[in-house]
Amino acid sequence: MNNYNNPKKEYISLADLPLNEEGLISRINGGRGITGRLNSMGVQAGQTIEKICGSFLGGPVVFKIKNTYSIAVGHGIARKIILEYNKKNEPKQKL
C-alpha cells in the first residue's frame, strides 16, 4: 500500500503514530458499527488528526481532530484507524 513515488509516505495505524505527530485518515478497518460510531464523532476518511497521548502497551489513545477537540478511543479501535503518515526529515547522523 505504500506510495512508491514518495518514500517518506507510509500507512500506519493510529496506535502506531508517534506522539504529537499528525496523519491523514485513509480508512477505518471495521464493520458498520464501529465505522458509524467513529463517523458520528467526526472521525472520517480525509480528516487530519494529531495523536496527543497513548501507550505502546495498550490502554486509551487520545487524539485531536481538526485541531479543535480531543477524542479518546481504546487501543483496539486505534489499531483500526489507518492513517497516511508523512515522515519528517530526520537529521543525518555524523560518523
Side-chain angles (χ1 to χ4, degrees), residues 3 11 19:
N3 184 350
Y11 292 89
L19 289 178

Side-chain angles (χ1 to χ4, degrees), residues 8 88-95:
K8 294 182 182 178
K88 303 256 185 206
N89 289 333
E90 299 173 4
K92 294 181 181 179
Q93 294 180 353
K94 294 182 179 179
L95 297 175

Side-chain angles (χ1 to χ4, degrees), residues 26-60:
S26 175
R27 68 179 183 277
I28 298 172
N29 289 338
R32 288 187 322 187
I34 190 64
T35 302
R37 185 177 303 153
L38 289 171
N39 284 338
S40 70
M41 292 188 288
V43 181
Q44 301 171 350
Q47 298 290 337
T48 300
I49 61 175
E50 177 185 358
K51 186 173 179 181
I52 303 299
C53 179
S55 172
F56 66 92
L57 294 175

Side-chain angles (χ1 to χ4, degrees), residues 4-17:
Y4 296 109
N5 295 329
N6 186 353
K8 294 182 182 178
K9 185 186 295 186
E10 63 180 81
Y11 292 89
I12 60 173
S13 71
L14 174 59
D16 296 329
L17 184 68

